[in-house]
Amino acid sequence: MTNTAVRRGRPSRRHLPRGRPPTQALFRRLFALNGLVFTVGTLVLALSPATVSSPVLLTEVPVLIIGLALILAVNALLLRTSLAPLGALTTLMQRVDLLHRGDRLVDSGNGDLTNLIETFNAMLDRLEAERSASSAHALAVQEGERQRIARELHDEIGQSLTVVLLGLKRAVDRAPEELREELHAVQETVRSSLDEVGQVARRLRPDVLEDLGLHSALNALATEFSQVSGVPVTRKSDPDVPALSAEMELVIFRIVQESLTNVARHAHATKVELSLRAEDDTVVLRVADNGTGDVRHEGAGIRGMRERALLIGARLTISALPRGGTEVRLTVPMMAEGS
């Protein structure tokens, strides 16, 4: 019997298999199976004591029906065994997603469709490699554009608003008493706009990540989230977390940022837990809330998180908690830095 299974896990890269075309191999296999079945049927009919009269007698009809049924049953069983990998291959083709890497078909049976399975697995390898390369390029361009916009917000709009604030201060000092209250209101509006511009710039370009490191950046992100949303964040950071590359730290920061954004938009949560700890040879990030998030539908934000996780060889899982809420878990293998 053909034993075809789906294997999950990161596969080794393989080249396109060479040899006979899959259709030719399958044709030869089916032709041989049918030839074997009919040859055996002919031998049994020739060597058995059963005879067929001309015309056929009614007593001989059951023998012919039984013989035909046996031939068809054996032929169906052999064909089903040979074509079984096609069903597993169709199922894999229907559910395959390049953001969930390592979904492969393993053929450990009689090898009827080995070339076809190996060709399909090699195609998935190429598609995943090309998807990773294009995602890395797109995300790098995105980060560059974010930094450019953040600089323009800080240098252009921020400076302009600062000049307006200074001008309003001088106007307030010189204005008559009946106008000062209105000028103070305008001054506070401009100051609030300047603060919002600063917050947007910091979200676009996390300077604290470069200046103070990942732990301080996550603390600043959680504090800002609590101030804006009113949802408290419980932080648990492991001081023994090993040093990470700049790319890893940026991916972790962006995933936490997107997770907290999803909590604020969709979860209706009253508390959030944020932890970063070392486990064996991995670093595990966990963002959990007690809200009503739906993990069955993945939007653009979650798919973007998965793309970022693939860039550093990390595994991202998003699951519903038993008591309600959603958990985002990112497992970063330390070997990914070298690769």
Side-chain angles (χ1 to χ4, degrees):
M1 297 292 289
T2 301
N3 183 16
T4 302
V6 175
R7 170 171 57 88
R8 293 183 180 272
R10 192 175 182 86
S12 59
R13 297 296 177 193
R14 47 170 87 88
H15 299 288
L16 283 175
R18 296 181 179 179
R20 293 178 299 175
T23 54
Q24 182 181 355
L26 182 61
F27 169 77
R28 293 182 179 181
R29 177 72 179 181
L30 295 179
F31 182 81
L33 289 176
N34 283 282
L36 177 63
V37 169
F38 290 118
T39 300
V40 171
T42 302
L43 291 176
V44 169
L45 183 62
L47 300 178
S48 67
T51 58
V52 179
S53 304
S54 179
V56 178
L57 301 177
L58 292 178
T59 55
E60 297 172 342
V61 172
V63 176
L64 295 177
I65 294 177
I66 293 175
L68 178 61
L70 289 176
I71 292 176
L72 292 177
V74 173
N75 190 42
L77 178 62
L78 293 177
L79 288 178
R80 184 180 180 86
T81 301
S82 297
L83 298 178
L86 290 179
L89 184 61
T90 302
T91 302
L92 177 60
M93 293 172 66
Q94 291 174 344
R95 74 160 186 269
V96 69
D97 187 349
L98 297 182
L99 292 180
H100 299 78
R101 305 187 66 169
D103 213 356
R104 297 293 184 273
L105 205 63
V106 177
D107 182 19
S108 56
N110 54 25
D112 295 339
L113 298 173
T114 298
N115 289 335
L116 179 61
I117 293 173
E118 289 182 355
T119 302
F120 182 76
N121 289 339
M123 180 192 69
L124 288 183
D125 288 343
R126 295 197 316 274
L127 290 176
E128 287 182 356
E130 294 170 0
R131 175 65 181 264
S132 296
S134 61
S135 297
H137 176 71
L139 292 174
V141 172
Q142 183 185 74
E143 289 296 333
E145 186 66 12
R146 284 183 171 183
Q147 292 183 4
R148 184 187 67 81
I149 295 175
R151 284 194 300 268
E152 291 185 358
L153 286 175
H154 180 271
D155 298 339
E156 301 295 335
I157 299 178
Q159 294 297 331
S160 299
L161 290 177
T162 302
V163 171
V164 172
L165 273 179
L166 294 176
L168 284 174
K169 184 179 183 304
R170 290 194 297 268
V172 169
D173 295 338
R174 299 177 182 178
E177 190 66 30
E178 60 271 13
L179 293 179
R180 287 186 180 181
E181 185 175 353
E182 295 183 8
L183 290 175
H184 273 301
V186 175
Q187 194 175 21
E188 290 303 318
T189 301
V190 174
R191 183 177 289 109
S192 177
S193 299
L194 181 60
D195 292 339
E196 291 178 359
V197 168
Q199 291 176 3
V200 172
R202 286 192 296 272
R203 286 195 295 267
L204 290 174
R205 186 180 63 180
D207 291 334
V208 66
L209 182 61
E210 300 177 1
D211 299 336
L212 301 179
L214 181 60
H215 291 287
S216 298
L218 295 182
N219 289 336
L221 195 60
T223 301
E224 181 181 351
F225 168 80
S226 297
Q227 292 174 348
V228 174
S229 65
V231 179
V233 178
T234 303
R235 283 158 281 182
K236 299 178 182 179
S237 296
D238 188 352
D240 297 329
V241 171
L244 302 174
S245 66
E247 184 182 23
M248 289 180 175
E249 290 186 348
L250 182 60
V251 168
I252 292 174
F253 180 87
R254 292 301 187 195
I255 288 179
V256 172
Q257 189 178 47
E258 183 64 30
S259 299
L260 294 179
T261 300
N262 288 337
V263 171
R265 290 178 178 175
H266 311 295
H268 307 291
T270 58
K271 65 178 181 179
V272 178
E273 295 180 4
L274 170 61
S275 65
L276 184 68
R277 66 182 187 276
E279 289 186 2
D280 299 330
D281 295 330
T282 64
V283 174
V284 179
L285 168 72
R286 180 176 179 270
V287 182
D289 64 78
N290 65 342
T292 58
D294 186 3
V295 300
R296 293 173 298 177
H297 302 91
E298 296 188 359
I302 294 179
R303 295 186 68 83
M305 292 163 60
R306 294 195 183 279
E307 289 181 349
R308 289 184 181 276
L310 290 178
L311 294 181
I312 58 174
R315 180 167 57 90
L316 179 71
T317 57
I318 302 175
S319 57
L321 296 175
R323 296 184 179 180
T326 304
E327 179 189 71
V328 177
R329 182 182 294 268
L330 179 71
T331 304
V332 184
M334 295 308 299
M335 67 179 64
E337 182 177 1
S339 62

